[in-house]
């Protein structure tokens, strides 16, 4: 399954996917293009170093529908069949997500449905939760609201700030995301309503 990865920033989750691919652990998923909405996103360098094609689709100066059309065109140019949002910080509307039913996954640094949106680790700390974590989910037209594929909890420690907590959450993201992408490509994720079954074999 040909996978396009959408990024906006540092790209440590992308790196986890690239490393898994290099280790032969992602097949039958194949990363075919990395698309950034931010022209100087460091994630693009990670893709280039790994020999994966890159594209920039800048959201600035484009209406949302035109931006989403341009994203879909870039994905189509590389014949991507599924999409991974790996630190992609734009909201996607039904106009985009309906083109890839149960073929878009996102990683989000909270135990959804708690703390959707931006700065989830800071939201979790401000609320005073004792358990934070990561959620990998299918993307639908709601914000961080699609069916949950995988979650891992991370304990909040005394003295945590958002940066320290996010760093520990990311260790779990980097472990889970390649597993989910491999299973998606292998046809091992099935979704009925909100319930996702994820099979190792
Ligand atoms: C990741 O922790 C991801 O969960 C989060 O952004 C970070 C990107 O890091 N995504 C969101 O908050 C989406 N709402 P990365 O660029 O190093 O992969």
């Amino acid at each position: 399954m040909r996978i396009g990865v959408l990024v906006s920033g540092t790209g440590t989750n992308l790196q986890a996917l690239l490393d898994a691919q290099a280790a032969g652990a992602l097949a039958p998923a194949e990363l075919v293009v990395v698309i950034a909405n931010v022209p100087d996103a460091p994630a693009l360098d990670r893709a280039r170093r790994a020999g994966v094609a890159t594209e920039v689709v800048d959201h600035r100066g484009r209406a949302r529908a035109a931006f989403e059309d341009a994203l879909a065109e870039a994905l189509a140019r590389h014949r991507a069949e599924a999409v991974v949002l790996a630190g992609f910080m734009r909201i996607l509307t039904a106009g985009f997500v309906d083109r890839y039913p149960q073929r878009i996954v996102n990683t989000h640094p909270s135990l959804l449905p708690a703390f959707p949106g931006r700065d989830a680790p800071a939201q979790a700390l401000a609320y005073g939760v004792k358990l934070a974590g990561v959620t990998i989910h299918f993307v639908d037209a709601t914000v961080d609201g699609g069916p949950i594929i995988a979650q891992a909890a991370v304990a909040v420690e005394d003295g945590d700030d958002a940066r320290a907590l996010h760093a520990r959450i990311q260790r779990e993201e980097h472990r889970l995301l390649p597993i989910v992408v491999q299973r998606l490509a292998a046809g091992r994720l099935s979704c009925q309503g909100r319930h996702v079954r994820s099979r190792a074999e």
Side-chain angles (χ1 to χ4, degrees):
M1 179 181 277
R2 298 174 64 83
I3 308 279
V5 184
L6 306 191
V7 297
S8 299
T10 312
T12 63
N13 282 286
L14 169 66
Q15 191 66 54
L17 294 172
L18 293 168
D19 291 348
Q21 175 154 279
L26 216 54
E30 183 193 357
L31 306 176
V32 295
V33 63
V34 172
I35 305 173
N37 66 307
V38 177
D40 58 356
L44 291 169
D45 290 325
R46 296 178 188 270
R48 290 185 195 111
R49 278 199 295 275
V52 175
T54 61
E55 300 255 3
V56 172
V57 178
D58 200 331
H59 63 279
R60 289 170 302 184
R62 281 183 164 112
R64 197 175 289 273
F67 170 64
E68 293 184 348
D69 285 346
L71 279 182
E73 281 161 24
L75 288 162
R77 271 199 299 283
H78 295 270
R79 292 182 290 120
E81 300 160 283
V83 182
V84 177
L85 310 184
F88 183 68
M89 303 308 274
R90 305 297 300 173
I91 288 171
L92 294 168
T93 68
F96 182 87
V97 302
D98 288 352
R99 302 183 205 213
Y100 304 92
Q102 291 173 19
R103 285 284 181 279
I104 311 177
V105 300
N106 180 44
T107 177
H108 180 78
S110 78
L111 292 175
L112 290 169
F115 314 125
R118 283 186 179 265
D119 302 322
Q123 291 186 57
L125 284 179
Y127 197 90
V129 297
K130 303 298 185 196
L131 277 179
V134 56
T135 302
I136 301 182
H137 62 95
F138 282 120
V139 174
D140 60 17
T142 63
V143 176
D144 297 326
I148 291 170
I149 302 167
Q151 291 186 304
V154 172
V156 176
E157 292 174 5
D158 288 346
D160 260 347
D161 59 13
R163 198 189 182 90
L165 178 59
H166 197 175
R168 291 204 311 288
I169 292 170
Q170 285 194 316
R171 288 210 286 272
E172 293 299 311
E173 291 195 284
H174 299 162
R175 183 178 66 77
L176 278 183
L177 186 61
I179 295 172
V180 167
V181 172
Q182 193 278 336
R183 288 187 186 180
L184 174 71
R188 291 187 180 138
L189 301 182
S190 51
C191 186
Q192 288 205 318
R194 288 208 54 85
H195 298 100
V196 179
R197 188 155 169 249
S198 172
R199 290 173 293 118
E201 295 296 334

